[in-house]
Amino acid sequence: MAAPVHPPVLIVDDEPDIVSMMSDILTEVGAHVLSASRVTQALTMAFNQKFALIIVDMQLPQGSGAQFVHTVRRDPRHINHKTPIVVVSGNLTVEVVKDLREMISGA
C-alpha cells in the first residue's frame, strides 16, 4: 500500500540559509517543502495549491508576512484559509504582534 500523500509545506523567507535549515528539518520528518522568497510569489503559490503548513517571515522584499497572512485569512473561500500559519521573525516586537493580531482579526 502506498504511503498517504500529504500537502506540502510552504516556507516564505528571503534568507536562503533559513529556508535551507527549515527545509532540511521538515524533509527529515517526511514533509515535502516548497519555498518562496517574495510575498507576491508566495501568494500566487497559496492561491493555487493547498498546503499542510505555511511558515512566513515577517520582513520580506516588496511586502510583509503580515500582508501575506491577511490576504490568505480574509477570504473564507481561500484554499489555505484554515491552513496553520507560523510567523517567524528576527525582529518580532510586541507592537508587531499586536499589529498582526489586528490584521488577522480584521480579515
Side-chain angles (χ1 to χ4, degrees):
M1 178 186 264
V5 177
H6 298 286
V9 173
L10 175 61
I11 299 172
V12 186
D13 200 306
D14 62 320
E15 296 288 336
D17 292 342
I18 301 294
V19 172
S20 179
M21 178 195 61
M22 286 192 275
S23 183
D24 288 349
I25 292 167
L26 290 164
T27 301
E28 283 181 20
V29 297
H32 175 67
V33 178
L34 299 175
S35 66
S37 60
R38 298 187 182 282
V39 172
T40 53
Q41 178 188 19
L43 285 171
T44 298
M45 293 170 77
F47 277 116
N48 292 305
Q49 182 169 2
K50 176 72 176 149
F51 289 97
L53 172 69
I54 299 171
I55 302 170
V56 60
D57 186 15
M58 283 299 292
Q59 295 181 323
L60 296 162
Q62 302 171 348
S64 71
Q67 175 189 9
F68 174 88
V69 172
H70 178 72
T71 302
V72 170
R73 291 289 190 247
R74 86 173 156 219
D75 183 356
R77 296 168 300 179
H78 190 287
I79 190 172
N80 285 294
H81 177 73
K82 293 191 177 200
T83 299
I85 298 176
V86 176
V87 176
V88 296
S89 177
N91 302 312
L92 204 55
T93 64
V94 173
E95 291 79 26
V96 170
V97 172
K98 287 180 183 177
D99 290 346
L100 183 59
R101 184 177 296 143
E102 288 174 13
M103 188 176 280
I104 293 169
S105 64

